[in-house]
Amino acid sequence: MSITEEEVILNNGIKMPKLALGTWFMNQKDTTISAVKTAIQVGYRQIDTAQSYDNEQEVGLGIKESGIERGDIFITSKVDAELKDYRSVTDSIDTTLSKLNHDYLDLMLIHNPTPWSKALDVKSQYFDENLAVWQALIDSIKIGKIRAIGVSNFEKEDLDNLINKSGVIPSVNQMVVNIGHVPNDLIKFDQEQGIVTEAYSVVTHGVTLKYPQIQTMVDKYQVTVSQLCIRYVWQMGLPLWRKSTSLNHIKQNTMIDFQISDSDFDYLNSLK
Ligand SMILES: NC(=O)c1ccc[n+]([C@@H]2O[C@H](COP(=O)([O-])OP(=O)(O)OC[C@H]3O[C@@H](n4cnc5c(N)ncnc54)[C@H](OP(=O)(O)O)[C@@H]3O)[C@@H](O)[C@H]2O)c1
């Protein structure tokens, strides 16, 4: 089975394809439409966008041009991290649906617990504000605008706040996971709560990539660094997000039909 066909069942019973085309930094109209269309034709069934990526309209057009039925594609978007009150969020969901030209969204995430503009402000956890955003998402499910809801970049205390005060457990938590950066405690917490951890930035970079053993494994398995990194996260069992506008890369990122041995996997786990 191709990895594009693999799915995970979310905590509300909805099936989600495990591989997604990410679209961050895809803001050229034609390139985005073409990448989305190409990925769907290659077999991708989930597309990940966000209000702040400013490309929801192009994502909608790419899906339309692919010729695949709307119901066969899973679309994720994210509420702009700057929006932290109920009304702005419900309004923004309507705008997202209008830009996509669809009457429902499969999954909507809170993009970040803190507004990006306040990311360096450690004083506030935005607990009350995130609860208001969460309530707007819960209510949007009830009226059929969204099928599932989740969060992104949330730590345990941010999750505790939502879960304990609303009683509704997020379906997913999207976060950075790659060789050298595996937030094991948070992934374990997600698992215990029935939250699916989704991985982005799966390709390791910087110091980790310079370890000669990484190149040794690339040679041994006859794959690219990207494929080794994707396979590592895939073998952890996590759904993952990879952005590309290149047909070659879009295809290559689905071709991970090899097994990282237990000893190599343990070595990769040991990298910091
Ligand atoms: N929730 C969040 O806060 C958050 C944050 C960041 C990202 N994300 C999501 O995750 C997605 C992925 O983000 P990312 O940061 O992990 O970026 P990424 O997928 O690592 O993409 C970075 C670059 O890698 C290149 N690339 C892709 N496949 C390749 C391959 N096989 N070989 C060589 N280069 C390749 C792409 O360039 P080409 O176009 O030239 O292939 C792309 O510009 C985003 O698009 C977004 O949907 C979410």
Side-chain angles (χ1 to χ4, degrees), residues 21 23 25-38 47 49 53-63 244-245:
L21 178 78
T23 63
F25 279 120
M26 270 192 213
N27 36 27
Q28 283 184 312
K29 194 172 164 53
D30 292 348
T31 313
T32 306
I33 295 171
S34 161
V36 170
K37 180 179 163 186
T38 301
I47 310 293
T49 178
Y53 298 170
D54 197 21
N55 62 12
E56 290 172 318
Q57 189 169 6
E58 288 72 31
V59 167
L61 287 168
I63 291 168
S244 181
T245 52

Side-chain angles (χ1 to χ4, degrees), residues 175-269:
M175 67 184 78
V176 176
V177 184
N178 59 43
I179 298 166
H181 181 91
V182 181
N184 284 309
D185 289 348
L186 192 51
I187 293 172
K188 185 165 175 279
F189 177 77
D190 281 357
Q191 270 168 354
E192 287 165 357
Q193 296 288 332
I195 300 169
V196 171
T197 302
E198 303 179 333
Y200 71 82
S201 292
V202 297
V203 175
T204 192
H205 51 272
V207 178
T208 315
L209 210 48
K210 297 201 176 78
Y211 285 101
Q213 287 91 335
I214 299 261
Q215 190 54 48
T216 304
M217 285 185 210
V218 162
D219 295 340
K220 172 179 166 183
Y221 295 112
Q222 299 193 326
V223 293
T224 64
V225 170
S226 175
Q227 287 168 315
L228 181 73
C229 292
I230 291 174
R231 181 71 215 184
Y232 173 73
V233 171
W234 196 256
Q235 256 175 251
M236 291 173 60
L238 304 184
L240 62 89
W241 276 234
R242 192 81 171 99
K243 176 255 173 186
S244 181
T245 52
S246 136
L247 171 60
N248 187 24
H249 291 164
I250 286 172
K251 275 191 188 161
Q252 186 199 106
N253 295 339
T254 67
M255 294 156 68
I256 55 158
D257 191 16
F258 65 102
Q259 184 77 15
I260 300 173
S261 72
D262 289 350
S263 59
D264 287 342
F265 197 78
D266 288 345
Y267 172 75
L268 294 174
N269 273 340

Side-chain angles (χ1 to χ4, degrees), residues 10 30 36-37 42 76 86-87 91-92 100 105 108 115 135 151 157 171 188 204 207 214 248 260 262-263:
L10 303 180
D30 292 348
V36 170
K37 180 179 163 186
V42 165
T76 296
Y86 185 96
R87 184 61 195 267
D91 286 350
S92 80
L100 286 165
L105 184 70
M108 183 63 107
Q135 193 58 53
V151 296
E157 58 269 28
S171 290
K188 185 165 175 279
T204 192
V207 178
I214 299 261
N248 187 24
I260 300 173
D262 289 350
S263 59

